[in-house]
Amino acid sequence: MWNSRKVGILGGGQLGRMLVESCNRLNIQANILDAENSPAKQISFHDGHVTGSFKEREAVRKLAKSCDVMTAEIEHVDTYALEEVASEVQVEPSWQAIRTIQNKFNQKEHLRKYGIPMADHRELVKNTPEELAEIGEQLGYPMMLKSKTMAYDGRGNFRVNSKEDIPEALEALKDRPLYAEKWAYFKMELAVMVIKTKDEVLSYPTVETVQEDSICKLVYAPARNVSDKINEEAQALARKAVAAFEGKGAFGVEMFLLEDNSLMLCELASRIHNSGHYTIEGCALSQFDSHIRAILDLPIPAKSLEIRQPSIMLNIIGGSAPDTHLKAAEAALSIPNAAIHLYSKGAAKPGRKMGHITVTAATMHEAETMIQPLIDVVDDIRA
Ligand code: ATP
Ligand code: MG
Ligand code: MG
């Protein structure tokens, strides 16, 4: 369409694949760094891709040489490699932002300076039962023991209900850098996608997320039974948290809504996010469209981030057999207004995100009615 700069993407999983879908519509070349035939590469035929891992210094260097702007679909990348190539290629968001955010403890220490409310937490330095027992005295039970790094889909979290759970918790998260968080008694989990451009911090409306076994299962957009005031406050909090970091692009901000209607940050991600998948059908510009526009300094009309129709997103998660998840996609073929996204990741593993379905309707109630049979299928697969 025009002579756009080339985008390099660290990671070619489902998020990279959906970024490529956005790039393809604008004739923007996206060079993917990941294994051969990764989900993103499957839909992008050109010779600019790089084979390797976003954790390999040499591979990141090679990707940097192939593109003008580099971005990541995941925060667990080699930020020292990014730091090195930042002098020759634009890196968005900044390697400093990704480095701070990829360590959840450092992320929280950073955000604390900006007055972002979050659960009280303590760092473990020795990872001994005595140390954690002492922290338990301070934070009370239950508390959440968390890995500082490499955490996703709750793999890195362990709920410690009492002092007796301490040995099991430390065993489950052994050899990982840890911190513990005070339990957040939330009535609802909310999320906001924030888009940081060269001169603005924009946000999509507040959505409601439902986690099962710490994995996102459903997203309701907009959040149900949440006042306009809370919706606005959550967006403002999310924008404030993201403004604390350097660089452009999409950021996913997860929050807790507490019993007294106050908000607390759960965590944020320096990338496009599962809670924003509904934007593909729900909004004029998806989070993937907006991310690409933000990193290339292309215009993003704020109105295009509004929700056009209430939307519900349901994740398709791997079940007991490698193909049970396909039952959800098959059932969705017959559901009105259901958009099906399969990620083509090959054989499923239990708990692995294999795809998602978004249903849009004139009212949230209608969308809830239409998606219910699919929730039943998904529950069957996981049972
Ligand atoms: P993600 O896949 O979103 O990156 P993650 O592995 O980084 O997940 P968190 O987002 O920290 O993990 O936590 C996962 C879920 O665990 C939260 O969405 C929430 O349901 C629950 N949780 C996390 N921290 C707490 C807490 N302090 N109190 C109560 N529940 C919590
Ligand atoms: Mg996380
Ligand atoms: Mg999370």
Side-chain angles (χ1 to χ4, degrees), residues 104 119 144 146 151-155 157 181-184 186 189 211 214 254 256 266-267 271 273 353:
K104 288 162 102 169
M144 193 70 104
K146 293 191 173 188
Y152 69 101
D153 292 345
R155 297 174 215 192
N157 286 0
E181 239 173 62
K182 193 178 170 75
W183 197 257
F186 56 81
E189 291 193 79
Q211 271 61 235
S214 283
E254 301 172 17
F256 300 130
C266 170
E267 63 161 348
R271 53 168 169 82
H273 194 262
K353 289 174 181 163

Side-chain angles (χ1 to χ4, degrees), residues 208-210 216-220 312-315 371 375:
E208 173 186 353
T209 66
V210 178
C216 176
K217 178 183 183 186
L218 284 155
V219 173
Y220 295 86
I312 305 175
M313 192 262 355
L314 172 68
N315 271 333
I371 206 164
I375 297 178

